[in-house]
């Protein structure tokens, strides 16, 4: 991809076209200002000033407000013509009029083609999250099944993240559960190991997987390398969509063993065939002849949209997932669908066929962009008849049902938030509730946790964990809470001193009683944030759920009816903060426990560490090894061996 002064990453610089002309009116100079009321006319004048030097080439533009926040990212075949549309507010919908009114500066990047502009636009939208764009709030990667190829006896494992290890990857799957179920069935069918290389190298007898007939125990030589290689090839072929050939071959082998009166082997082949049949039987819906494809169905009602994505790989249904992109209620399905597809495939390659429920905006351009990103032909099509149309109808039904469930949940959530406002005397239902809790074991590995909830439920990408830095605070719940709240709001004030953003809470819930509440009151007072409502929630006598006591500044402690739905809601918030803090503490503790003395040796990375552990069996054995023994390890040079030896023998 080629473009002017940028790449698909967020540009460090913008093109010369973004510099306003010298004769730009002083009242329209695009500098950061603090204004309380956006001015539509001023916004129009700001944009007009840029038009004089804008090129007529393809590119991407960004509109920003007085605080420097990006309001909108757009792309254009002709930058000058596209941006000129914003200077005629009478022809713009109210949403875009508000955006223009807030605009005080713009930035531009020119590209060679409109396809490059589309790819850059989707990249920037996902990274900058402008509030006037359609937003796909998806921060997760999909899990895959991986057959490792960097070992003599490959393993069958679940993989998520970057593909930086040699191996064959199959997927994506819609959920980790779908991957785990498939791996279990594949183990029964192909008897491949799923242990780590370090466990494999230290086995002296078969493990439980061998006993329950899910592995052939290559770790102790129960199967030859050639035989195990055949098992691996069969599994890879099956995952690649050649299931019929594999089953036919297994059936022939079973019959041959039966005719030779080798009934034990025949029974094993029968069990493997049953396992393969079970994998295929669990498919909800399949289409004959469709190998790799994604099915994307959009259902819109009441100003919100649900998009269901089904994944088909190797002719099998790998599951589905529902998405609810954030967008203006007046944006149509075609516009939302187009924006969703561009962002969905921003960091993943599209399969050869993507079926959609209706025509998307700029569909041909979108298909060209997906083709460019994937490095092969990608077809974007709306099925009209036959099995593919039947499959799309099934996906649309799922989208409609998920949309209905979401509306029901949102309605219930709104009632609960209104109930929270009534109980705590808030002016309005809170749009953002932050809940805080701490976790430690006798002061070890102390950590604070923050979870966030709003009208759409828990906002998990806003969760935060705080490793306690002050050693004196470890084990002191009050001091830990002071540090957590101070760090949270001190940073918030630095990033948004005017408190105009949407990351400020309408209510703080503290897991604790009067002591924790007192600390929170002091911290907020010191920072000048005493207007943020504070509530402490503590378990009642005998720590029984349902007998919680609530503490607020200036009010005596009070309880609620044990059957009140608002109490259940508050318990759920408190329990989620508890779960997050304990889980974060556990991760920190396990990381400390699993830390190796080799991590402290200069020049020892993951590969050398692995080689040393495989050779000596443990870090303790490495520390006792002599120079000659260290030099004998693959990948360890004389110089590195000397560094390792000196690290563990500083005196000599």
């Amino acid at each position: 991809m080629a473009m002017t002064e940028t790449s698909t990453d967020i540009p460090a610089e913008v093109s010369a076209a973004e510099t306003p002309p010298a004769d730009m009116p002083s009242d329209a100079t695009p500098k950061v200002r603090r204004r309380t009321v956006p001015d539509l006319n001023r916004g129009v004048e700001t944009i007009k000033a840029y038009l004089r030097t804008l090129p007529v080439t393809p590119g991407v533009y960004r509109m920003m407000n007085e605080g420097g926040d990006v309001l909108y990212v757009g792309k254009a075949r002709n930058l000058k013509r596209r941006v000129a549309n914003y200077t005629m507010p009478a022809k713009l919908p109210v949403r875009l009029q508000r955006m223009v009114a807030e605009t005080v500066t713009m930035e531009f990047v020119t590209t060679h083609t409109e396809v490059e502009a589309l790819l850059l636009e989707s990249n920037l939208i996902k990274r900058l999250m402008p509030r006037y764009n359609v937003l796909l709030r998806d921060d997760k990667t999909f899990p895959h099944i991986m057959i490792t190829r960097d070992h003599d006896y490959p393993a069958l494992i679940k993989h998520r993240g970057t593909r930086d290890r040699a191996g064959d990857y199959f997927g994506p799957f819609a959920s980790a559960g779908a991957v785990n179920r498939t791996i279990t069935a594949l183990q029964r069918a192909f008897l491949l190991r799923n242990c780590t290389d370090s466990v494999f190298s230290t086995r002296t007898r078969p493990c439980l997987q061998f006993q329950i007939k899910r592995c052939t125990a290559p770790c102790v030589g129960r199967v030859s390398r050639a035989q195990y290689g055949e098992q691996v090839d069969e599994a890879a072929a099956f995952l690649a969509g050649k299931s019929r050939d594999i089953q036919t071959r297994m059936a022939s082998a079973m019959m041959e063993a039966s005719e030779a009166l080798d009934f034990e082997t025949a029974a094993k082949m029968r069990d493997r065939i049953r396992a393969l049949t079970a994998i295929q039987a669990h498919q909800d819906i399949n289409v004959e002849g469709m190998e790799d494809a994604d099915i994307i169905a959009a259902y819109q009602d009441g100003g919100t949209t649900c998009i269901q994505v089904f994944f088909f790989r190797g002719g099998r249904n790998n599951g589905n997932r529902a998405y609810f992109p954030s967008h203006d209620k007046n944006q149509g399905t075609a516009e939302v669908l187009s924006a969703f597809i561009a962002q969905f495939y921003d960091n993943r390659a599209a399969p050869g066929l993507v079926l959609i429920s209706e025509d998307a905006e700029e569909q041909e351009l979108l298909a060209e962009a997906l083709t460019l990103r994937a490095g092969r032909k990608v077809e974007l099509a709306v099925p009209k008849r036959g099995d593919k149309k039947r499959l799309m109808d099934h996906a649309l039904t799922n989208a409609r049902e998920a949309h209905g469930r979401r509306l029901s949940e949102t309605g219930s959530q709104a009632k609960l938030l209104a109930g929270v406002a009534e109980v705590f005397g808030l002016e309005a239902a809170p749009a953002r509730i932050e809940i805080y809790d701490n976790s430690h074991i006798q002061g070890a590995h102390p950590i604070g946790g923050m979870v966030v909830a709003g009208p759409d439920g828990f906002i998990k990408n806003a969760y935060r964990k705080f490793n306690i830095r002050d050693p004196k605070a470890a084990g002191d719940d009050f001091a830990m809470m002071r540090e957590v709240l101070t760090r949270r709001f001190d940073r918030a004030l630095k990033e948004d001193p005017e408190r105009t953003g949407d990351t400020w809470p309408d209510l703080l819930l503290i897991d604790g009683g009067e002591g924790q509440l007192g600390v929170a009151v002091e911290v907020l007072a010191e920072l000048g944030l005493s207007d943020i409502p504070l509530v402490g929630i503590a378990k009642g006598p005998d720590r029984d759920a349902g007998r919680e006591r609530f503490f607020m500044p200036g009010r005596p402690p009070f309880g609620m009816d044990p059957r009140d739905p608002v109490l259940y809601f508050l318990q759920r918030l408190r329990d989620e903060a508890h779960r997050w803090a304990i889980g974060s503490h556990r991760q920190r503790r396990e990381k400390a426990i699993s830390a190796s003395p080799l991590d402290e040796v200069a020049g020892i990375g993951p590969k050398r560490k692995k080689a040393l552990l495989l050779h000596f069996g443990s870090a303790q054995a490495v520390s006792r090894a002599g120079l000659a023994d260290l030099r004998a390890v693959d990948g360890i040079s004389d110089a590195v061996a000397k560094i390792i030896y000196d690290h563990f023998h500083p005196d000599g």
Side-chain angles (χ1 to χ4, degrees):
M1 183 187 304
M3 61 181 65
T4 302
E5 298 189 25
T6 189
S7 65
T8 53
D9 294 326
I10 298 176
E13 298 180 0
V14 291
S15 66
E18 72 183 69
T19 305
D23 59 344
M24 183 176 186
S26 60
D27 64 342
T29 302
K31 294 180 180 178
V32 174
R33 296 188 181 89
R34 297 294 175 193
R35 296 195 305 269
T36 56
V37 180
D39 187 330
L40 179 58
N41 291 331
R42 180 167 294 181
V44 170
E45 290 302 317
T46 297
I47 296 171
K48 282 183 177 179
Y50 285 108
L51 286 177
R52 303 171 192 175
T53 55
L54 270 184
V56 293
T57 58
V60 173
Y61 57 94
R62 284 179 281 176
M63 308 174 83
M64 293 174 289
N65 65 9
E66 59 188 4
D69 302 317
V70 177
L71 299 170
Y72 184 78
V73 175
K75 64 104 179 75
R77 180 185 302 173
N78 182 319
L79 272 174
K80 188 166 189 172
R81 185 182 304 166
R82 180 72 182 90
V83 173
N85 292 337
Y86 295 110
T87 63
M88 297 175 282
K91 297 181 179 180
L92 298 176
V94 175
R95 175 180 68 95
L96 295 185
Q97 288 182 9
R98 291 199 303 268
M99 181 182 74
V100 170
E102 293 182 54
T103 301
V104 297
T105 187
M106 295 183 70
E107 292 180 351
F108 304 88
V109 178
T110 58
T111 62
H112 290 293
T113 67
E114 191 178 6
V115 172
E116 293 173 3
L118 176 60
L119 293 174
L120 177 59
E121 177 197 38
S122 61
N123 182 289
L124 292 176
I125 289 172
K126 289 201 71 172
R127 283 153 180 76
L128 301 175
M129 305 295 283
R131 63 190 180 93
Y132 284 99
N133 283 98
V134 175
L135 299 179
L136 170 60
R137 300 183 183 275
D138 173 34
D139 56 355
K140 293 185 178 180
T141 57
F142 291 105
H144 287 68
I145 288 176
M146 177 187 182
I147 296 178
T148 61
R149 293 294 186 180
D150 55 359
H151 194 279
D152 291 341
Y153 294 91
L156 181 73
I157 60 176
K158 177 174 67 177
H159 177 84
R160 190 194 292 269
T162 58
R163 301 186 182 188
D164 53 1
R165 185 176 179 184
D168 299 332
Y169 295 83
F170 302 94
F173 288 78
S175 66
V179 172
N180 293 335
R181 289 190 296 271
T182 303
I183 286 179
T184 299
L186 288 171
Q187 282 185 281
R188 292 194 182 104
F190 300 107
L191 312 177
L192 300 182
R193 72 179 182 95
N194 66 345
C195 57
T196 63
D197 293 348
S198 58
V199 169
F200 180 92
S201 65
T202 56
R203 293 297 305 180
T204 57
R205 58 190 179 89
C207 67
L208 181 62
Q209 294 293 317
F210 175 79
Q211 305 298 335
I212 61 176
K213 299 179 181 178
R214 293 188 186 178
C215 181
T216 48
C219 53
V220 292
R222 295 295 181 93
V223 62
S224 69
R225 183 174 176 180
Q227 289 173 319
Y228 190 81
E230 290 179 6
Q231 295 169 217
V232 172
D233 292 341
E234 286 179 349
F238 180 83
L239 287 168
K242 301 175 182 177
S243 56
R244 189 167 295 176
D245 295 342
I246 300 301
Q247 283 186 294
T248 301
R249 197 181 311 161
M250 286 185 176
S252 299
M254 181 181 68
M255 293 304 297
E256 289 175 6
S258 179
E259 290 171 0
L261 305 182
D262 185 358
F263 299 118
E264 184 178 356
T265 300
K268 290 179 179 178
M269 296 306 298
R270 177 203 61 199
D271 293 342
R272 294 177 65 184
I273 292 171
R274 285 178 177 174
L276 288 186
T277 304
I279 298 175
Q280 295 167 320
H282 282 124
Q283 304 302 313
D284 296 327
I285 184 170
N286 291 294
V287 173
E288 189 72 24
M290 188 168 68
E291 292 297 317
D292 292 352
D294 285 348
I295 315 301
I296 301 178
Y299 177 81
Q300 189 176 87
D301 188 28
T304 59
T305 305
C306 174
I307 296 180
Q308 280 275 355
V309 183
F310 281 74
F311 306 96
F312 282 78
R313 295 296 183 272
R316 290 182 305 278
N317 179 5
N318 284 352
N320 63 294
R321 184 178 292 184
Y323 294 89
F324 297 88
S326 172
H327 64 89
D328 185 81
K329 64 181 181 180
N330 294 317
Q331 290 178 287
T333 308
E335 182 180 355
V336 174
L337 188 58
S338 178
F340 172 87
I341 292 171
Q343 294 176 54
F344 185 75
Y345 292 111
D346 174 62
N347 58 354
R348 57 178 68 93
L353 176 63
V354 178
L355 297 178
I356 54 179
S357 54
E358 62 180 83
D359 290 326
E361 278 193 358
E362 300 180 314
Q363 186 167 313
E364 291 183 5
L365 178 66
L366 200 55
E368 190 177 345
L370 296 181
T371 296
L372 181 63
R373 186 176 294 282
R376 49 178 165 69
K377 175 68 175 177
V378 175
E379 180 184 358
L380 197 60
V382 180
K384 301 297 184 184
R385 63 181 69 85
D387 288 341
K388 293 177 181 177
K389 179 64 167 63
R390 177 175 60 85
L391 179 58
M392 182 58 71
D393 291 341
H394 175 76
L396 269 172
T397 298
N398 276 265
R400 182 173 61 254
E401 292 174 351
H403 185 272
R405 289 192 297 270
R406 179 63 172 257
L407 285 182
S408 176
E409 292 168 2
T410 303
S412 300
Q413 187 86 351
K415 290 180 182 178
L416 291 170
L417 291 172
V420 168
E422 183 178 350
V423 168
F424 297 137
L426 307 181
E427 294 180 358
R432 180 183 173 102
I433 303 176
E434 293 183 1
I435 311 98
Y436 292 85
D437 191 15
N438 299 321
S439 182
H440 63 92
I441 296 179
Q442 295 182 341
H445 315 299
I447 199 163
M450 175 189 91
V451 304
V452 184
D456 294 326
F458 290 111
I459 309 172
K460 296 195 174 183
N461 61 0
Y463 285 16
R464 295 292 181 269
K465 59 184 73 170
F466 301 84
N467 290 324
I468 301 303
R469 298 170 180 170
D470 184 358
K472 296 180 181 178
D476 183 341
D477 285 341
F478 298 158
M480 289 172 64
M481 186 62 69
R482 177 181 294 279
E483 178 177 329
V484 168
L485 293 176
T486 300
R487 285 167 56 186
R488 157 69 175 109
F489 290 104
D490 189 50
R491 178 173 178 176
L493 283 170
K494 290 177 182 177
E495 294 179 348
D496 185 14
E498 301 297 321
R499 296 173 62 180
T500 56
D502 57 2
T503 59
W504 288 90
D506 300 308
L507 174 66
L508 287 190
L509 276 182
I510 307 297
D511 184 17
E514 286 184 288
Q516 284 86 348
L517 181 69
V519 169
V521 169
E522 290 176 10
V523 170
L524 295 187
E526 290 168 3
L527 297 174
L529 301 174
S530 298
D531 58 320
I532 298 178
L534 269 171
V535 176
I537 175 172
K539 289 184 178 178
D542 302 322
R543 301 182 66 81
D544 287 342
R547 302 175 67 185
E548 280 80 3
R549 304 292 290 169
F550 295 92
F551 301 84
M552 296 184 69
R555 285 180 61 175
F558 62 94
M560 297 174 62
D561 186 329
R563 293 168 295 181
D564 191 331
V566 175
L567 176 60
Y568 291 140
F569 176 64
L570 294 170
Q571 289 172 345
R572 228 172 77 221
L573 298 182
R574 187 264 321 277
D575 292 345
E576 175 68 0
H578 198 53
R579 180 199 67 79
W580 175 249
I582 289 177
S584 301
H585 165 75
R586 185 178 295 120
Q587 288 176 354
R588 188 180 180 190
R589 188 176 74 245
E590 289 173 352
K591 185 176 181 181
I593 292 172
S594 62
S596 168
L598 295 177
D599 296 333
E600 301 174 7
V601 182
I604 301 299
K607 289 185 178 180
R608 284 174 172 165
K609 178 182 173 183
K610 180 179 178 181
L612 288 165
L613 291 175
L614 288 175
H615 185 89
F616 291 103
S618 69
Q620 187 176 26
V622 175
S623 69
R624 295 173 179 172
L627 268 174
D629 296 326
L630 291 169
R631 293 191 188 105
V633 180
D634 289 339
I636 303 298
S637 64
D638 291 350
V640 174
K642 185 70 167 60
I643 292 173
I644 299 170
Y645 184 84
D646 290 345
H647 177 83
F648 291 111
H649 304 84
D651 298 329

